[in-house]
Amino acid sequence: MPYYGEPSSSEAPYIYRSQAKSGTCSFYAYATVYVIKKNKRVTLAIKAVQQQNTLVAIITYLLALIEPLKLKIERLYLDREFFCVPVIRWLQALDIPFEMPVIIRGKHGGTRQLIRGRRSYKTTYTLNSDKYGSVTFHVWIICTYKNGKRRAHGREFFIYAVYKVQLSLHLIHDDYRLRFGIESSYRMKNQCRIKTTIKNPIIRLLFVALAFLIINIWIYLVWHYLSRLKRSSRQVLSHLFTLKQMLEFLRQAVDRNYGVACEVCLPSG
């Protein structure tokens, strides 16, 4: 989320520098763990990202938060920002199955050399870093055809770094698309988040966490009270009780408990 102005000493560690957006290069940044279980999708943990946090430290912290739940990670979906030597090496050392997009670099060499031919295929690739050394891993290259999608034609390639994923080559692209549900959770979070001009990073983290908590409660209510079994599958009737409607219910409850300001009084004299 965009940050404007000069940060104080307490705010500075939580300001994340990135590409310019919304008129600033400074942001409050958050990392979350999102689980998909039998089509239920909930956010389990959140971390405010600090300047000194490495990508490995962020993942370690989040996985430690959910460790008491004793979840078995079938596949860990990671954003392309995590594509680097330390993260891949660390996940391999922990023996955690994962999928993540490969960043395409180079004009002819690098990962761009993997884009060739007319068929999907598997191979291995060694990623090198001057600072962190190198790591070798499996890459799955998916070749698809645009077929007029967005008025475009021709071949399109998707490259994934893969470790111990029990899927066929042709399913990996559609499987990774499940990760985009976390993007939807961020958009929903923006509907629920308390808007504030307060710059205190602790309070802002609280407001973001509350937003995700409200979404989780909504998902629970929909699945338990607005769903039914139909032909061995569960039909979820979320359109009968949307997130926007739940937020309106909450607003009405706050109005009843705390009252509504209906007039403005000028000071005497």
Side-chain angles (χ1 to χ4, degrees), residues 188 191-192 214-215 218 241-248:
M188 294 166 68
Q191 296 182 48
C192 306
I214 289 172
I215 295 170
W218 173 70
F241 184 54
T242 64
L243 177 62
K244 184 177 180 179
Q245 189 172 2
M246 176 175 166
L247 294 175
E248 182 61 23

Side-chain angles (χ1 to χ4, degrees), residues 84-94 98 127 132-135:
C84 63
V85 170
V87 169
I88 295 173
R89 183 190 293 141
W90 179 80
L91 291 175
Q92 287 178 340
L94 291 183
F98 66 82
L127 182 64
Y132 299 106
S134 62
V135 62

